Amino acid sequence: MTKRIMLGNEAFARGAYEAGVKVVSSYPGTPSTEVTEAAAKYDEIYVEWAPNEKVGVEVAMGASVGGVRSLSCMKHVGLNVAADPFFTAAYTGVNGGMVVLVADDNGCHSSQNEQDSRYHGRSAGVPVLEPADSQECKDYMKLAYEISEKYDTVVLMRSSTRISHSRGIVTFGECVEREKIPYVKNMMKYVAMPAMARKLHVAQEKRLNMIEEDAADFIAGEEQYERYLNRVELGDSKIGIVTSGICYQYVREALPNASILKLGMVNPLPKKMIADFANEVEKLYVIEEGTPFLEEQIRAMGVPVYGGKDMFTIQGEYSARMIREAFGVEREHSALEEATGKTDLEDAPGRPPLLCAGCPHKGLFYVLSKLKTTVLGDIGCYTLAALPPTSAMDTTLCMGASISMAHGFEKAMGASQNTVAVLGDSTFIHSGITGLINMYYNQSHGTVIVLDNRITGMTGHQDNPASGRNAKGEPAPAIDIATLVKAIGIQHVVEIDPFDVKNLEQVIKEETAREELSVIITKRPCAMIVKQTNIPRLVSDRCKNCRQCMKIGCPAIEEEDGRPFVVADRCVGCGLCQRVCPFDAIESEEQ
Amino acid sequence: MDKNILIVGVGGQGTLLASVLLGNLALAKGYDVKLSEVHGMSQRGGDVVTHVKISDHSVKSPLIEKGEADIIIGFEKLEAYRWLPQLKKGGAMFVNAQEILPMPVVMGQAEYPENIDQTIAETAGSVKEFDAMAIASSCGSTKAVNVVLLGAASKALPFEEDEWMKVIEENVKPKFVELNKKAFTMGQGA
């Protein structure tokens, strides 16, 4: 059988492919993005980028009702956006199997919070599966579709950064042969009006109870590799640990002899199995990253838990080391401890991420920083402009919030002369447009800046409705943001190159001073998707050391002998530093 | 056999390809292997780390923790230093002599540590620090710095030269295969 090293996310996509999934609709979000990207490589699957997660889940639901297996993937905060269709799809159930995949980000590697999406699954009343390595990502995906169709339910597949972004060996399986399930009109099932919803809620409770009863027989994996979804690995009976997902790996490594109840399904919980396991061990521990989701339910069952969140934090990611220390397991000294007695090197300065050399956003934030503008910010690469040296962002909350918050800010503060909302093209389409309609309708005087760089940048360059290509990389219609904004009725719409810093400064001053709603669209493609000149710049002897060029925060500009210096192999030749230099002291190398 | 290799550097330096080559080599040789990386913010010039764990039994946690790395491949000096606490007693360091100043240092808010070479020398079982960028550049592209460093580290890994060449052929775009093979060989000789 074929074996490959696969990212957890690639393995999820392989599982979807083997399960015969036909439709995938997602919005990118770290750490979930690669599932959809990997699915797009299978010719057999229709894959699209939706403008947001709510649309993605609704598309998947439509495909399910239409009789095929469907998938929608998102990061944890995306599930909040999609919560509306998700919670009611949990009532109606499915026709073709349907999985919603959510990737949590314990440790906030690239997110604004550490939301625990298991609660969404429990609150909605759907089964939640949680794989512990790449092989299980594939195997659980296949099983999820069987559960979905057998019990007529949406299934939530819960991943996390360490599962999605770890690679491991995956043994491929056979593709499921299946026919499209005929669509049959059924008002009582698919029309969630109050009278039907009450009945659907009863049915949902019943099927969740059935799943709990049958869970002991759920098996994932191909023939000789198959494993029970929920399984007990009996070892030393002194310590018994209930765990799931990545924590299972940490426990296995830290405490190789402990007895473990590994939960592959964290909702509904197999109550009898847990109670039986608790009876077989002397002390029961629950080890789970994040909130005490399992622990509180186990305690509520009346099962004594010897150690849980009283031993382990609700913050960040866990590790085998953390578990060893909690259980007093001895370990060898590190080389550093041997040599210096220290466990850490605290004098290593941090290396915060930066906007790339050549990034179009740099021009805008250089100007906003210069004008000391109050900036209601948003989610994207440009959030990095909040950091020094530009420090040009005052707030970041969630996708699309820049616009709505700017409106609220204006209602509180009065129309300010020097406040803007800033967000990217993809974020604007995701959920900024509704906020802008609100501003227009409720007569805001604000200024919104849309950073149109022709791509969804932060998540790794995915296409979007304004980029001109679809998820398969084929040409697609591109929404023109200026036309869209004008269609709302907004009179003052300016398009400008963000590297044209002199004119941009003038435009921002004019539009923020204007006592009417205005939209500025800065247009320049992401530096990662266009060919750069790659002619490095040089600082000539005309330099007066005014350090304007250092205020753009370019990774190619360092200091040497107390003066700015361009590091040639990092310079992409965008020329922004030349444009901000008041003494014309920066030249192209070829000159 | 257990080999824990930590590959550290700055976003954009090509650490990921290095780990993918290692992972595929381990798979081809019948070992179990897990790799762990973090995407997103780290792509934008932040610090990046990839954990590679290879074993002849089953690998559990994908993370290499303090004192667990047999080998650290540092694509940049400060990053090699930052991750030094992960090195096992007697572990080997392969370090590119390049310094990339982080923004807090450029802005004068923090200092690039002066004692990096000394601390690494005092801590590691063995250290190989060299100008991998210059070697990559002489091969035709500074982008090959990752494979130059792999070449250097290959001496501490249980794989044969022809196996390395094969994994390069299978995982690198055809037009860059020759360049990367040359970079690997030059790295071995560094």
Side-chain angles (χ1 to χ4, degrees):
Chain A
M1 265 194 260
T2 309
K3 287 185 178 194
R4 288 273 159 75
I5 292 191
M6 289 187 128
L7 208 54
N9 280 348
E10 292 167 344
F12 280 127
R14 173 74 202 185
Y17 166 72
E18 288 182 8
V21 166
K22 287 285 174 267
V23 174
V24 179
S25 183
S26 310
Y27 185 79
T30 314
S32 71
T33 311
E34 299 84 0
V35 185
T36 306
E37 288 183 315
K41 292 185 180 142
Y42 295 102
D43 291 339
E44 294 85 348
I45 311 178
Y46 169 81
V47 178
E48 66 176 28
W49 290 123
N52 66 33
E53 297 84 353
K54 176 180 186 291
V55 174
V57 167
E58 290 159 352
V59 169
M61 189 59 191
S64 164
V65 172
V68 302
R69 289 185 166 181
S70 67
L71 172 66
S72 182
C73 310
M74 61 210 64
K75 69 185 294 173
H76 54 323
V77 287
L79 186 54
N80 305 335
V81 178
D84 198 354
F86 177 70
F87 272 69
T88 304
Y91 275 26
T92 66
V94 302
N95 187 27
M98 176 168 157
V99 172
V100 172
L101 183 147
V102 63
D104 286 359
D105 190 15
N106 302 82
C108 290
H109 290 284
S110 44
S111 307
Q112 61 269 44
N113 70 35
E114 291 192 282
Q115 172 181 313
D116 190 334
S117 298
R118 296 177 296 179
Y119 287 96
H120 280 66
R122 185 163 183 233
S123 181
V126 299
V128 182
L129 304 194
E130 193 177 14
D133 60 24
S134 291
Q135 182 70 51
E136 288 188 353
C137 289
K138 182 194 82 68
D139 293 340
Y140 283 19
M141 194 61 126
K142 249 172 141 172
L143 176 64
Y145 283 98
E146 287 173 29
I147 294 171
S148 174
E149 286 176 1
K150 182 171 177 194
Y151 297 93
D152 187 13
T153 179
V154 172
V155 174
L156 184 65
M157 183 68 70
R158 192 249 187 169
S159 184
S160 63
T161 298
R162 279 300 156 198
I163 295 296
S164 282
H165 286 171
S166 290
R167 293 171 202 260
I169 298 173
V170 177
T171 304
F172 286 5
E174 299 295 325
C175 289
V176 175
E177 294 284 335
R178 63 188 300 287
E179 297 289 313
K180 194 196 292 193
I181 302 169
Y183 165 67
V184 180
K185 185 169 173 155
N186 184 349
M187 180 182 74
M188 294 309 289
K189 176 171 168 60
Y190 296 124
V191 182
M193 291 164 71
M196 293 77 140
R198 285 180 211 114
K199 291 195 173 74
L200 289 168
H201 193 186
V202 174
Q204 179 223 35
E205 185 185 6
K206 206 168 140 191
R207 65 179 169 246
L208 217 53
N209 290 336
M210 276 169 62
I211 291 169
E212 186 186 326
E213 272 173 37
D214 296 352
D217 300 324
F218 290 167
I219 290 172
E222 310 293 325
E223 294 171 8
Q224 71 265 42
Y225 299 103
E226 59 184 30
R227 307 291 294 270
Y228 281 103
L229 187 61
N230 295 326
R231 63 173 188 259
V232 172
E233 296 175 4
L234 270 186
D236 182 351
S237 64
K238 286 198 184 73
I239 297 175
I241 293 168
V242 182
T243 188
S244 69
I246 191 65
C247 286
Y248 164 77
Q249 305 293 355
Y250 300 147
V251 170
R252 260 275 152 263
E253 179 147 328
L255 308 169
N257 301 321
S259 292
I260 296 178
L261 170 53
K262 179 192 182 295
L263 298 174
M265 186 165 70
V266 294
N267 190 65
L269 287 185
K271 294 193 193 73
K272 186 171 179 307
M273 198 174 192
I274 292 169
D276 290 348
F277 179 70
N279 283 332
E280 286 192 53
V281 297
E282 278 177 34
K283 286 177 181 168
L284 187 78
Y285 299 83
V286 180
I287 301 185
E288 56 187 324
E289 285 176 352
T291 34
F293 176 83
L294 302 175
E295 182 187 344
E296 284 181 350
Q297 292 183 72
I298 293 170
R299 286 188 193 275
M301 286 160 51
V303 172
V305 174
Y306 190 81
K309 288 297 164 188
D310 43 354
M311 284 174 74
F312 296 97
T313 175
I314 61 164
Q315 310 288 337
E317 289 189 284
Y318 286 8
S319 65
R321 179 192 173 90
M322 187 189 273
I323 295 165
R324 274 193 204 103
E325 281 174 0
F327 284 86
V329 179
E330 292 283 320
R331 56 171 188 87
E332 274 189 43
H333 278 186
S334 71
L336 187 71
E337 278 173 298
E338 281 288 309
T340 67
K342 291 189 288 191
T343 54
D344 290 291
L345 291 169
E346 276 141 12
D347 61 338
R351 190 183 295 277
L354 294 170
L355 291 172
C356 307
C359 172
H361 304 333
K362 282 185 189 294
L364 172 68
F365 288 103
Y366 168 80
V367 173
L368 291 173
S369 177
K370 189 176 169 191
L371 296 175
K372 298 192 166 49
T373 305
T374 300
V375 179
L376 286 303
D378 222 300
I379 306 279
C381 291
Y382 45 87
T383 313
L384 295 172
L387 303 176
T390 47
S391 304
M393 195 165 284
D394 292 68
T395 66
T396 297
L397 185 68
C398 66
M399 294 286 285
S402 57
I403 298 183
S404 330
M405 281 181 70
H407 183 62
F409 195 71
E410 180 189 319
K411 295 299 171 199
M413 306 277 288
S416 156
Q417 301 288 304
N418 197 15
T419 300
V420 297
V422 162
L423 79 175
D425 47 355
S426 187
T427 308
F428 176 71
I429 291 163
H430 177 281
S431 47
I433 181 78
T434 41
L436 189 62
I437 289 168
N438 182 51
M439 271 184 133
Y440 178 71
Y441 169 54
N442 289 309
Q443 296 167 310
S444 163
H445 297 165
T447 300
V448 172
I449 305 179
V450 181
L451 289 71
D452 184 1
N453 66 346
R454 318 305 303 164
I455 204 80
T456 308
M458 189 88 228
T459 45
H461 309 102
Q462 289 72 37
D463 282 291
N464 66 48
S467 75
R469 276 187 316 278
N470 65 21
K472 296 259 186 188
E474 300 151 348
I479 287 173
D480 181 67
I481 293 173
T483 308
L484 178 63
V485 168
K486 285 176 191 159
I488 292 173
I490 297 167
Q491 300 293 316
H492 307 286
V493 181
V494 185
E495 291 182 288
I496 187 166
D497 176 359
F499 274 17
D500 183 1
V501 286
K502 288 199 179 72
N503 282 319
L504 180 61
E505 183 175 333
Q506 195 53 39
V507 165
I508 291 173
K509 280 181 181 164
E510 279 169 20
E511 295 307 327
T512 50
R514 191 194 296 282
E515 293 199 346
E516 278 178 89
L517 178 58
S518 58
V519 175
I520 301 168
I521 302 162
T522 61
K523 295 187 80 160
R524 181 175 271 257
C526 170
M528 308 285 275
I529 61 166
V530 285
K531 198 164 168 49
Q532 301 289 333
T533 68
N534 287 321
I535 302 163
R537 290 341 197 224
L538 288 172
V539 182
S540 76
D541 53 14
R542 288 193 299 280
C543 174
K544 304 267 191 277
N545 209 10
C546 75
R547 306 172 90 79
Q548 279 301 312
C549 58
M550 298 195 76
K551 292 184 181 163
I552 59 180
C554 179
I557 303 179
E558 287 187 0
E559 195 181 290
E560 200 171 83
D561 302 327
R563 304 178 83 81
F565 171 77
V566 179
V567 183
D569 62 32
R570 264 176 259 156
C571 177
V572 299
C574 74
L576 180 62
C577 54
Q578 285 175 300
R579 294 182 191 236
V580 304
C581 177
F583 303 106
D584 210 11
I586 301 177
E587 298 172 350
S588 299
E589 197 169 67
E590 59 180 358
Q591 282 171 351
Chain B
M1 198 282 297
D2 287 295
K3 281 279 181 220
N4 293 343
I5 305 123
L6 205 59
I7 303 177
V8 303
V10 177
Q13 281 192 308
T15 51
L16 197 56
L17 175 70
S19 67
V20 167
L21 291 178
L22 255 177
N24 278 293
L25 198 44
L27 170 66
K29 292 279 283 178
Y31 294 113
D32 191 20
V33 59
K34 275 186 184 168
L35 293 77
S36 188
E37 65 217 36
V38 170
H39 304 200
M41 284 289 190
S42 51
Q43 291 178 2
R44 309 285 174 269
D47 53 297
V48 290
V49 55
T50 305
H51 308 247
V52 182
K53 293 177 83 168
I54 301 170
S55 176
D56 50 14
H57 57 269
S58 140
V59 179
K60 305 296 186 202
S61 164
L63 299 180
I64 298 168
E65 301 184 48
K66 280 180 188 149
E68 291 184 352
D70 296 285
I71 298 170
I72 297 179
I73 306 176
F75 282 49
E76 196 271 350
K77 270 172 69 174
L78 170 61
E79 296 313 315
Y81 181 74
R82 188 190 311 286
W83 290 95
L84 190 58
Q86 318 298 105
L87 195 69
K88 189 184 278 183
K89 218 163 70 180
M93 299 283 295
F94 297 89
V95 184
N96 178 18
Q98 192 184 9
E99 291 183 5
I100 301 174
L101 305 187
M103 193 47 74
V105 172
V106 173
M107 292 176 63
Q109 294 165 344
E111 294 207 356
Y112 198 95
E114 284 179 359
N115 58 341
I116 290 181
D117 288 341
Q118 195 194 335
T119 310
I120 290 177
E122 285 169 6
T123 302
S126 69
V127 185
K128 173 78 194 168
E129 184 180 321
F130 65 108
D131 190 348
M133 283 291 273
I135 294 177
S137 186
S138 75
C139 294
S141 169
T142 52
K143 287 200 171 125
V145 68
N146 49 11
V147 179
V148 172
L149 283 159
L150 264 190
S154 68
K155 286 176 281 188
L157 289 162
F159 307 117
E160 303 299 326
E161 170 137 9
D162 57 328
E163 294 165 344
W164 281 103
M165 292 303 165
K166 190 156 174 271
V167 82
I168 290 172
E169 280 165 21
E170 287 169 356
N171 289 279
V172 171
K173 278 187 191 156
K175 67 172 177 174
F176 297 119
V177 165
E178 282 315 308
L179 179 129
N180 279 288
K181 281 181 164 178
K182 192 175 164 196
F184 184 84
T185 309
M186 300 266 291
Q188 273 180 315

